[in-house]
Amino acid sequence: MASSHSSSPVPQSNSSDAFFKKEVDATKRFHPVQSLPDVCPKEPTGNPNNLHDSPSLVVDQQRWTIYHSKVNLPAALNDPRLAKRESDFFTKTWGVDFVDTEVTPSFYLPQITKEDFALYQQEITPREKVHERCKNICTPKDTFDRTLLHTHDKSRTDLEQVPKIFMKPDFALEDSLTFNAVLPWSHFSTAGGKGNRDAASSKLLQEKLSHYLDIVEVNIAHQISLRSEAFFHAMTSQHELQDYLRKTSQAVKLLREKISKIDKVMCEGSLRVLRLSLTRNNCIKAYNKLKLMATVHQTQPTVQLLLSTSEYVGALDLIATTQEVLQQELQGIHSFRHLGSQLCELEKLIDKMMIAEFSTYARNDLNRPLEDDCQILEEERLVSLVFGLLKQRKLNFYEIYGDEMNNTAKNIIKQCVVNTVSQIEEIDTEVVVKLADQMRMMNFPQWFDLLKNIFSKFTIFLKRVKATLNTIRSVVFLVLDKNQKTRDLEDTLQKNSAKESMVDSEVAYLTHEGMFISDAFGDSELPAGAADSASQRNTSPNSEPCSSDSVSEPECTTDSSSSKEHTSSSVTPGGVEMMISDDMKLTDLELVRLANNIQELLYNASDICHDRSVKFLMARAKDGFLEKLNSSEFVTLSRLMEGFILDTEQICGRKSMSLRGALQSQANRFVNRFHEERKTKLSLLLDNERWKQAEVPAEFQDLVDSVSDGRISLPEKKPTATEERKPAEFLIVEGQKYATVGTVLLLIRIILEYCQCVDNIPSITTDMLTRLSDLLKYFNSRSCQLVLGAGALQVVGLKTITTKNLALSSRCLQLIVHYIPIIRAHFEARLQPKQFSMLRHFDHITKDYHDHIAEISAKLVAIMDSLFDKLLSKYEVKAPVPSACFRNICKQMAKMHEAIYDLLPEEQTQMLFLRINASYKLHLKRQLAHLNVVNDGGPLNGLVTSDVAFYTGNLQALKGLNNLDLNMAEIWEQKR
């Protein structure tokens, strides 16, 4: 009989130094296949005396051993180590590990599925139906014994007499409640005179319990009698089992004798070779471990040497490698118990050193002389520092650079002011101590040169900052790219390892089954991984026998394979080659956020320069200096600031609004002052204008000619050429003559100044458009008040507003109207599409001017209309012909023509006289109707016809009116 697990004749090889393991390639890592328990004796551990410490089936077969011990069947089946007794026979024989053992599925047994039983089910289904049909037809045999049924019912009735408390599974007399329920204390009380009665009660209780015992014994005997046949059958089988065991014992004895001979002849020598090989490998391991300890011992001096040359990345890599070796391969070494904490403190010291070094580098880089050289200062040092800071996750190092940028920007302005002030002899630095006060003592050219110098310094400063930050960002992107490549490589290796593990599992199973790989696979079916593994085990003639504890080559090296850091070479934009290690535990999100923060730092540098420039401008503008600049000076300043703004936008790639806002604020003030000056000037000119035709100087003609070329610009003054040319009587605009007053000539120049200012300062286009509209509206309304409203009589002292004044005013308005579309196109080209709605101001102005011109024309017609009404109301049809009335009318018409002909174009003159003629015909017709003169060919009709002919001849004799169609026949038409 087999005993328990501890006395099993099969030794278990579950020790950690078992060497019957299959050699696996060190590069292939997979979970080993659990095999069945080994039947080999305990392997050697290096000591020959311990080779047979455990009992041997071969050596000890002639003497008594623990394997001769025998136990009964219940003891073999009741293993006290098991938590449950429901385990099967194999678990009790070979232990609880037998159930959990994973057995590799056989390659020769097919996978059985439900479809494999389909044919069987088809065959058995008809038979099952026949069986069920017969079972329903045939009555079952009454094999139940009525007597036994009666006996069973009687025994059940007897058992019901036994109290239920005895049948409970948790029945225990140790429980006080149970004990009191079974044996009440009242039966054992002897107090008072109740002794006899208590004794009788106790006796009755004893008889009752005896009766219960008899009932139970009778039922037990009845149950035993029912199973007597099975008991005798088991006893008979016991004899047969003993015969089988006797034969098995003889076979086992013979087998042990054979195994003993095999052990002596074949195994002892091989085991000795394996033991010596194990000893040699252990010595090699010890030597490599000592050599590794010597290397680790030199870590601190090597780190100090690396720090002396600012090799922070190398020092950190060495510390990380040493820490990993201490935790994995040298764990528990007493002499190195403090080395880990010392390396941690050294790492913290390196962190502080790198931060201080980066701060020093930033200060030296930004405080270099601001020349045209924008090269990076010590790029290799910068790259090394950034790699070290990234390795230590010091991701806020860019804030140090930002603080240094702010301080440097302050120093740039201060140094430029000091250098400029020291070169100006008029400023006494001993009297004026503050730099701001010294700066305010400069005139515009000096201050402008200072501002220009500051802007140039800031431009070089931003270029230098951009070069440095681009180098830092390139390092960050190199690490990010390395992370991506590492992930791709890991995914590829995982896929390959999954394929290789499948092949290795098959090979391990076949080897465990005692088969050769060539027996399981054909030459064409042999997997590549298995072929390589087999060739490594079989093709080396000098190789030692494979054992589970033989040391592979990677394990014999000094460095741990897990502590080796894979590095890759990368080159920064500046040409610096760096080795990037794989141990930078930074996520892609952190690296991207850091790169964005560095880019934002470049934007902040631009904002810092703009903010400092704004403070510099505001310090100079405190005394109203900027508001007192003339147009040319402010335009020069504006161009300089615009150029600096564009340069910074080109360098940094983002707009900074502070300086642009300050420029816009100063531009608005300039626009207000510019507009007020010119509006005041125009007001003074209009108040002193006598509305007489003025001569046109040559420079104004040149000004108009420059506009006619399609662009609005103020021509340069040419004193020599201007003196030789005489003033002209009219202003020639695109071939038309314009008689104008001096105020309008200056107004045209003012309008062109507005347009030129928009070209010089594009940011004030909308403000200039509004101010120019206001100026044009002011001229229109003020000229209307002075001429049509006769305001010039009081302002200038004119005696009367003549027709010549009116015609001249109309022509001046027409000249302005001519330039409004040109001005509109000029502004439209410089406005944003969303600002085109502002152009409606020009439409309104044009309409107002046309209305004003129409009012002047109506005024001229009204003057003649009142004259006709006055003269024709006294007209009498009588001799002599022409009458005095008609001669007077022709005289006034000639004066009117003489006053306006040289001022207005011929077409306008003709249209005006047609309107005057219509008024004349209306009044004449009314007077003839009043006089009852009709077109009847009578004497009165003849006199009127002669006067009309005289009027027609005189009117058509005027210059430019000879082809005028007067249509005098209308005076005789009667109203219907």
Side-chain angles (χ1 to χ4, degrees):
M1 295 295 291
S3 63
S4 63
H5 177 70
S6 60
S7 61
S8 175
V10 183
Q12 302 294 325
S13 61
N14 55 359
S15 60
S16 60
D17 57 347
F19 56 83
F20 286 99
K21 299 179 182 178
K22 302 178 177 62
E23 182 180 4
V24 183
D25 192 355
T27 60
K28 300 177 180 178
R29 304 297 182 188
F30 60 89
H31 299 289
V33 178
Q34 295 184 0
S35 62
L36 294 175
D38 208 345
V39 296
C40 296
K42 186 176 181 181
E43 62 276 12
T45 58
N47 187 1
N49 297 325
N50 297 331
L51 183 61
H52 299 289
D53 289 342
S54 62
S56 174
L57 295 176
V58 180
V59 178
D60 298 334
Q61 64 177 342
Q62 302 299 333
R63 60 187 178 87
W64 190 94
T65 63
I66 60 174
Y67 301 112
H68 291 83
S69 62
K70 300 290 188 294
V71 293
N72 56 6
L73 182 61
L77 296 179
N78 295 326
D79 191 346
R81 296 174 300 173
L82 296 179
K84 296 182 180 179
R85 298 197 175 187
E86 290 78 7
S87 303
D88 56 9
F89 176 78
F90 300 101
T91 305
K92 297 180 179 298
T93 302
W94 289 312
V96 294
D97 296 336
F98 178 79
V99 181
D100 299 332
T101 302
E102 296 180 3
V103 180
T104 306
S106 174
F107 296 101
Y108 304 103
L109 295 179
Q111 295 292 332
I112 305 301
T113 61
K114 188 179 294 185
E115 287 75 10
D116 297 330
F117 297 95
L119 181 61
Y120 172 76
Q121 289 179 350
Q122 294 176 1
E123 295 178 356
I124 205 65
T125 299
R127 299 179 184 180
E128 183 182 6
K129 293 181 179 178
V130 173
H131 173 71
E132 292 293 335
R133 192 181 306 112
C134 294
K135 186 169 64 173
N136 294 331
I137 296 174
C138 298
T139 58
K141 295 181 179 180
D142 188 6
T143 59
F144 191 78
D145 192 355
R146 299 294 179 180
T147 305
L148 292 178
L149 179 60
H150 176 73
T151 304
H152 178 70
D153 292 339
K154 184 177 182 302
S155 62
R156 176 181 294 179
T157 305
D158 295 338
L159 283 176
E160 290 178 354
Q161 298 177 9
V162 180
K164 299 299 182 180
I165 190 172
F166 294 101
M167 302 300 178
K168 291 184 178 181
D170 56 347
F171 176 81
L173 290 175
E174 291 83 357
D175 187 6
S176 59
L177 297 177
T178 305
F179 186 82
N180 292 331
V182 176
L183 299 174
W185 285 103
S186 61
H187 295 283
F188 303 99
S189 175
T190 59
K194 300 179 182 180
N196 296 329
R197 189 176 60 184
D198 292 340
S201 299
S202 300
K203 185 176 181 181
L204 180 62
L205 177 63
Q206 185 176 2
E207 291 177 356
K208 187 186 296 185
L209 294 176
S210 299
H211 177 65
Y212 294 159
L213 178 61
D214 292 340
I215 293 174
V216 172
E217 288 179 350
V218 169
N219 280 275
I220 292 175
H222 176 68
Q223 295 296 330
I224 293 175
S225 65
L226 293 177
R227 292 168 176 76
S228 59
E229 182 179 357
F231 175 76
F232 288 114
H233 177 71
M235 293 300 295
T236 304
S237 301
Q238 179 71 15
H239 294 294
E240 296 179 1
L241 183 62
Q242 289 179 355
D243 293 339
Y244 290 148
L245 289 176
R246 189 179 299 108
K247 294 178 182 180
T248 304
S249 177
Q250 293 176 358
V252 169
K253 182 178 179 181
L254 180 62
L255 177 63
R256 287 180 176 178
E257 291 177 355
K258 293 181 180 180
I259 292 176
S260 177
K261 293 178 182 179
I262 294 174
D263 181 42
K264 291 180 181 180
V265 175
M266 300 182 65
C267 298
E268 287 185 357
S270 300
L271 292 176
R272 185 172 180 272
V273 171
L274 291 175
R275 183 173 63 254
L276 293 176
S277 175
L278 179 63
T279 303
R280 175 180 177 275
N281 291 332
N282 290 336
C283 292
I284 292 175
K285 287 183 179 180
Y287 169 74
N288 291 332
K289 193 71 69 175
L290 291 174
K291 190 163 66 172
L292 181 60
M293 292 174 62
T295 303
V296 171
H297 184 66
Q298 297 295 323
T299 298
Q300 288 180 312
T302 306
V303 170
Q304 296 293 342
L305 181 61
L306 291 173
L307 292 179
S308 63
T309 58
S310 299
E311 289 289 338
Y312 298 106
V313 178
L316 291 172
D317 289 340
L318 180 58
I319 291 175
T321 304
T322 305
Q323 291 277 27
E324 190 174 357
V325 171
L326 287 175
Q327 294 176 2
Q328 294 183 0
E329 300 190 17
L330 299 181
Q331 188 175 10
I333 303 298
H334 185 72
S335 59
F336 289 152
R337 63 187 183 278
H338 300 305
L339 182 58
S341 59
Q342 292 174 358
L343 292 177
C344 290
E345 294 297 329
L346 188 59
E347 189 174 0
K348 294 179 181 178
L349 177 62
I350 292 176
D351 291 347
K352 296 179 181 179
M353 292 177 62
M354 285 193 299
I355 293 175
E357 184 74 12
F358 185 79
S359 178
T360 304
Y361 174 85
R363 192 178 304 109
N364 295 336
D365 178 47
L366 296 176
N367 291 328
R368 286 183 291 164
L370 291 171
E371 301 173 354
D372 293 336
D373 183 16
C374 296
Q375 296 294 329
I376 302 175
L377 178 65
E378 300 179 12
E379 184 177 1
E380 295 182 359
R381 177 187 173 192
L382 173 62
V383 173
S384 177
L385 282 172
V386 174
F387 270 118
L389 293 169
L390 292 178
K391 185 179 180 66
Q392 295 304 105
R393 299 182 62 85
K394 303 296 180 182
L395 303 183
N396 59 343
F397 64 90
Y398 64 90
E399 296 177 358
I400 301 175
Y401 199 83
D403 296 337
E404 291 297 333
M405 285 193 314
N406 198 1
N407 297 331
T408 303
K410 294 180 182 178
N411 295 333
I412 287 175
I413 293 181
K414 183 177 180 180
Q415 191 62 36
C416 289
V417 173
V418 171
N419 294 338
T420 304
V421 169
S422 63
Q423 298 175 0
I424 301 176
E425 299 178 355
E426 293 80 3
I427 301 176
D428 189 355
T429 56
E430 296 180 358
V431 177
V432 183
V433 179
K434 294 184 178 179
L435 283 177
D437 296 335
Q438 295 174 0
M439 179 189 63
R440 293 189 188 98
M441 297 180 64
M442 300 178 186
N443 54 30
F444 178 77
Q446 294 171 345
W447 181 82
F448 182 79
D449 292 339
L450 173 60
L451 181 62
K452 186 176 181 180
N453 186 27
I454 291 174
F455 284 166
S456 64
K457 298 295 185 183
F458 274 154
T459 303
I460 300 174
F461 168 73
L462 289 177
K463 290 180 180 179
R464 185 173 295 172
V465 169
K466 180 180 181 181
T468 303
L469 294 181
N470 283 344
T471 301
I472 297 176
R473 289 185 79 231
S474 65
V475 173
V476 175
F477 284 128
L478 286 177
V479 176
L480 183 61
D481 183 63
K482 177 61 180 177
N483 287 353
Q484 184 65 34
K485 291 181 179 178
T486 303
R487 282 197 303 272
D488 295 342
L489 181 61
E490 289 177 354
D491 294 340
T492 304
L493 291 178
Q494 287 179 358
K495 294 178 181 179
N496 294 336
S497 62
K499 296 179 181 178
E500 294 175 358
S501 62
M502 295 176 61
V503 176
D504 292 339
S505 299
E506 296 175 359
V507 174
Y509 175 77
L510 294 176
T511 307
H512 171 73
E513 293 295 327
M515 300 176 61
F516 291 101
I517 298 177
S518 59
D519 295 336
F521 297 97
D523 294 339
S524 60
E525 298 176 351
L526 187 63
D532 295 342
S533 178
S535 63
Q536 290 178 3
R537 289 193 295 267
N538 299 326
T539 57
S540 178
N542 298 325
S543 62
E544 296 180 356
C546 297
S547 65
S548 60
D549 286 344
S550 57
V551 181
S552 60
E553 185 62 26
E555 295 176 351
C556 297
T557 58
T558 301
D559 296 334
S560 172
S561 61
S562 61
S563 64
K564 290 182 180 179
E565 298 176 359
H566 301 284
T567 59
S568 62
S569 176
S570 299
V571 181
T572 62
V576 179
E577 184 175 358
M578 292 297 297
M579 302 299 293
I580 306 177
S581 60
D582 289 344
D583 61 343
M584 290 193 178
K585 306 303 181 183
L586 293 174
T587 62
D588 292 352
L589 180 61
E590 291 175 333
L591 292 172
V592 171
R593 186 184 295 115
L594 178 59
N596 293 336
N597 290 336
I598 294 173
Q599 183 64 33
E600 191 67 27
L601 190 61
L602 179 61
Y603 301 152
N604 292 339
S606 176
D607 294 338
I608 288 172
C609 294
H610 281 235
D611 293 341
R612 288 296 160 188
S613 301
V614 169
K615 290 183 178 180
F616 178 78
L617 289 173
M618 294 300 103
R620 188 65 183 92
K622 280 186 177 181
D623 56 353
F625 173 76
L626 297 180
E627 297 178 4
K628 299 176 183 178
L629 298 178
N630 56 38
S631 300
S632 60
E633 290 175 344
F634 188 84
V635 167
T636 305
L637 175 62
S638 176
R639 287 179 177 176
L640 176 63
M641 295 175 66
E642 287 286 350
F644 176 70
I645 292 172
L646 293 177
D647 290 341
T648 55
E649 290 177 0
Q650 184 178 4
I651 294 173
C652 301
R654 192 179 72 172
K655 294 182 179 180
S656 297
M657 303 307 298
S658 57
L659 185 58
R660 192 182 296 274
L663 176 60
Q664 185 65 38
S665 176
Q666 294 298 327
N668 292 336
R669 295 178 183 177
F670 168 75
V671 168
N672 291 333
R673 182 180 56 82
F674 180 88
H675 177 64
E676 291 299 329
E677 288 180 355
R678 278 146 184 79
K679 188 174 181 180
T680 303
K681 182 178 180 180
L682 179 61
S683 177
L684 294 175
L685 290 173
L686 288 172
D687 291 342
N688 294 301
E689 180 60 57
R690 302 188 65 85
W691 297 100
K692 293 183 179 180
Q693 183 178 357
E695 294 182 345
V696 180
E699 58 177 342
F700 286 96
Q701 185 62 52
D702 295 338
L703 185 66
V704 171
D705 294 340
S706 65
V707 175
S708 63
D709 295 338
R711 60 183 182 86
I712 298 179
S713 61
L714 296 175
E716 298 180 358
K717 295 182 179 180
K718 300 179 181 179
T720 305
T722 304
E723 292 177 0
E724 296 178 355
R725 298 168 59 186
K726 295 181 180 180
E729 186 177 359
F730 295 96
L731 183 66
I732 308 300
V733 179
E734 296 182 1
Q736 291 188 11
K737 293 182 179 181
Y738 284 89
T740 181
V741 296
T743 302
V744 174
L745 292 177
L746 294 176
L747 177 60
I748 293 175
R749 184 176 184 87
I750 291 173
I751 291 173
L752 297 184
E753 287 177 354
Y754 275 81
C755 297
Q756 184 68 32
C757 194
V758 168
D759 290 338
N760 296 331
I761 312 174
S763 60
I764 62 175
T765 301
T766 55
D767 291 337
M768 277 296 183
L769 189 150
T770 305
R771 301 300 193 280
L772 181 57
S773 301
D774 179 67
L775 186 71
L776 293 175
K777 290 178 181 179
Y778 175 76
F779 173 76
N780 185 40
S781 61
R782 187 59 178 162
S783 62
C784 182
Q785 294 172 4
L786 293 174
V787 180
L788 281 178
L793 300 181
Q794 292 81 18
V795 176
V796 186
L798 295 180
K799 295 180 180 181
T800 181
I801 301 298
T802 63
T803 56
K804 191 169 187 178
N805 298 139
L806 291 172
L808 188 60
S809 174
S810 176
R811 194 56 173 164
C812 291
L813 293 173
Q814 294 175 21
L815 177 62
I816 301 300
V817 170
H818 173 78
Y819 282 106
I820 287 178
I822 300 175
I823 299 170
R824 176 194 172 101
H826 181 81
F827 277 90
E828 184 177 4
R830 287 151 184 81
L831 286 175
Q832 299 294 331
K834 60 182 180 181
Q835 299 173 339
F836 284 168
S837 60
M838 299 184 66
L839 297 174
R840 67 179 185 276
H841 294 299
F842 292 110
D843 299 333
H844 297 161
I845 292 171
T846 304
K847 181 178 179 301
D848 293 341
Y849 271 69
H850 283 300
D851 293 343
H852 191 184
I853 295 171
E855 289 177 5
I856 293 176
S857 299
K859 183 65 176 178
L860 292 173
V861 175
I863 293 173
M864 298 304 297
D865 184 78
S866 61
L867 179 64
F868 294 149
D869 183 55
K870 179 181 179 181
L871 295 177
L872 291 176
S873 62
K874 301 177 181 180
Y875 174 63
E876 295 179 356
V877 183
K878 62 181 181 179
V881 178
S883 62
C885 178
F886 273 78
R887 286 197 299 269
N888 197 6
I889 289 175
C890 291
K891 180 180 179 182
Q892 294 299 327
M893 295 284 280
K895 288 182 179 181
M896 170 68 76
H897 181 269
E898 181 182 0
I900 68 174
Y901 181 77
D902 293 335
L903 302 179
L904 298 178
E906 186 175 340
E907 298 80 7
Q908 294 184 20
T909 304
Q910 292 177 357
M911 291 299 299
L912 181 61
F913 274 92
L914 283 176
R915 293 178 61 186
I916 293 174
N917 180 61
S919 176
Y920 163 76
K921 289 189 293 183
L922 180 63
H923 286 282
L924 180 58
K925 183 177 181 180
R926 187 183 301 122
Q927 185 63 25
L928 292 177
H930 176 70
L931 298 175
N932 293 322
V933 179
V934 295
N935 188 13
D936 55 359
L940 295 178
N941 179 263
L943 292 174
V944 173
T945 303
S946 299
D947 286 337
V948 171
F950 174 76
Y951 164 80
T952 303
N954 278 277
L955 188 59
Q956 291 182 346
L958 297 177
K959 190 175 182 181
L961 303 181
N962 52 350
N963 296 325
L964 199 63
D965 185 10
L966 300 179
N967 193 14
M968 297 305 295
E970 292 180 356
I971 63 176
W972 303 110
E973 294 180 358
Q974 299 294 329
K975 292 183 179 180
R976 297 179 181 178

